[in-house]
Amino acid sequence: MSADYRDFYRGRRVMVTGGLGFIGSNLARRLTELGADILLVDSLIDDYGGHLFNIDGVESKVRVNIADIRQRTTMNYLVRDREVIFNLAGQVSHIDSMLDPYTDLEINCRSQLTVLEACRRHNPAAKVVYAGTRQVYGKPDRLPVDETHLVRPTDINGINKVAGEYYHLVYNNVFGVRACSLRLTNIYGPRQLVRHNRQGFIGWFIRLAVEDKEIQIFGDGQQLRDFVYVEDAADAFLRAGATDAVNGQVFNVGGAQPISHLELVSLLIETAGTGAYRLVEWPPDKKVIDIGSFYADSTRFRQTTGWEPATTLRDGLARTIAYYREHLPRYL
């Protein structure tokens, strides 16, 4: 895929669900640069990450509809003229899914059916790109993990996310609503929710480093993870939305190379010039759903779309730290 994928979006009618959230707002910013006609849909549910400040400076270039994608009549109307739908709305906290499984079911399953049914009945020509997760694999049998690995989630969120993903594949294969899923690993960067630590550890660690506080690393810190800077994740969505070569498939979108939690935190503290760390025992509620080391093989997506993660971890952390040093009060 050439640079023409960026030209594809000029004047293109695009909708982003979860458009005021972390990845959605960064994707929206890219789309404004490409000249797209952008509709952002977000429910702004407390503690889920949606924030009007995330579109500060580009608000005049997008339209925002504050709505819950579980509402069928609303979605039936909103999808009607959209050519590409980036479906990023969801409940992403693994801990919250175990405490309140019904809400997770509603948002990660029923809402996905609502979007897809709206497309099927009111805009079957739309292209839908779903934000999946590496969490669907569960504890890996081998590393790196490619798309042929068994899907075996270890928590309610993972189960519902894979169901939402499979809905997209069924609507592609059976109803002709073109769709694919990007199984994202650990995304980080500006505009990430840092108010609490229930939506992943990397944003929380960055906040603690910026505040010159202690970061607690569970266990011995040797678990491996891969990380993708949010602008590189946004580029992955743009590439997927611009080609039919991805239709009906799932793709890993992972970092260039894995790094241990301990090495990550050391790099973070070095880059920030503030913060400290301490190794602590695993909390029981987190240990029971932990998957150990994980890093993804993104060969399939790279070969299909030409995508490559362009931002080094050091550079990405530096940009993120600078963002929160300037804007942290907005996110607390």
Side-chain angles (χ1 to χ4, degrees), residues 13-262:
R13 297 184 301 277
V14 176
M15 181 168 79
V16 184
T17 71
L20 297 177
F22 169 40
I23 301 175
S25 63
N26 280 282
L27 176 58
R29 288 174 173 274
R30 285 290 308 277
L31 286 164
T32 64
E33 296 168 3
L34 301 179
D37 175 339
I38 307 159
L39 171 63
L40 306 182
V41 180
D42 203 294
S43 62
L44 288 180
I45 296 174
D46 286 345
D47 284 346
Y48 279 27
H51 202 311
L52 284 168
F53 183 71
N54 282 344
I55 57 169
D56 182 61
V58 299
E59 58 268 52
S60 64
K61 300 178 181 179
V62 303
R63 288 188 294 128
V64 176
N65 191 297
I66 306 302
D68 192 317
I69 67 169
R70 288 172 286 184
Q71 298 171 339
R72 284 186 292 175
T73 55
T74 300
M75 293 312 300
N76 289 346
Y77 173 77
L78 292 178
V79 304
R80 286 179 186 270
D81 68 339
R82 298 294 99 182
E83 296 171 277
V84 181
I85 298 172
F86 295 108
N87 192 10
L88 278 64
Q91 198 295 110
V92 302
S93 169
H94 308 298
I95 295 296
D96 285 358
S97 78
M98 304 300 278
L99 297 173
D100 184 6
Y102 292 109
T103 296
D104 195 272
L105 177 69
E106 282 282 307
I107 295 175
N108 289 326
C109 289
R110 181 172 169 231
S111 66
Q112 308 311 319
L113 279 176
T114 302
V115 172
L116 291 165
E117 271 294 285
C119 291
R120 174 191 174 194
R121 299 184 182 281
H122 301 284
N123 186 7
K127 168 69 175 287
V128 185
V129 183
Y130 175 67
T133 173
R134 56 92 179 161
Q135 196 74 11
V136 302
Y137 293 113
K139 188 175 178 62
D141 295 325
R142 62 182 185 273
L143 294 170
V145 174
D146 65 15
E147 293 87 352
T148 66
H149 190 284
L150 180 67
V151 169
R152 187 177 52 206
T154 62
D155 59 28
I156 300 296
N157 181 258
I159 293 169
N160 290 332
K161 286 294 289 184
V162 77
E165 176 179 273
Y166 283 2
Y167 291 147
H168 285 75
L169 302 186
V170 166
Y171 274 71
N172 179 92
N173 298 338
V174 177
F175 300 124
V177 176
R178 295 170 299 149
C180 68
S181 176
L182 304 186
R183 291 176 175 171
L184 308 173
T185 60
N186 297 280
I187 314 300
Y188 72 100
R191 303 175 186 88
Q192 188 168 16
L193 183 148
V194 297
R195 183 185 302 168
H196 57 73
N197 65 354
R198 302 196 310 275
Q199 288 192 7
F201 67 91
I202 181 63
W204 184 249
F205 282 6
I206 290 168
R207 172 183 169 176
L208 293 176
V210 168
E211 293 181 322
D212 197 18
K213 294 181 179 178
E214 180 183 82
I215 299 169
Q216 294 186 349
I217 304 173
F218 300 149
D220 61 7
Q222 295 307 307
Q223 286 179 304
L224 299 175
R225 290 287 189 275
D226 57 338
F227 297 88
V228 179
Y229 187 60
V230 68
E231 289 186 6
D232 293 332
D235 186 64
F237 278 97
L238 292 173
R239 289 174 181 267
T243 177
D244 284 334
V246 299
N247 295 351
Q249 298 186 67
V250 298
F251 297 92
N252 290 340
V253 176
Q257 59 187 15
I259 185 172
S260 73
H261 285 191
L262 187 56

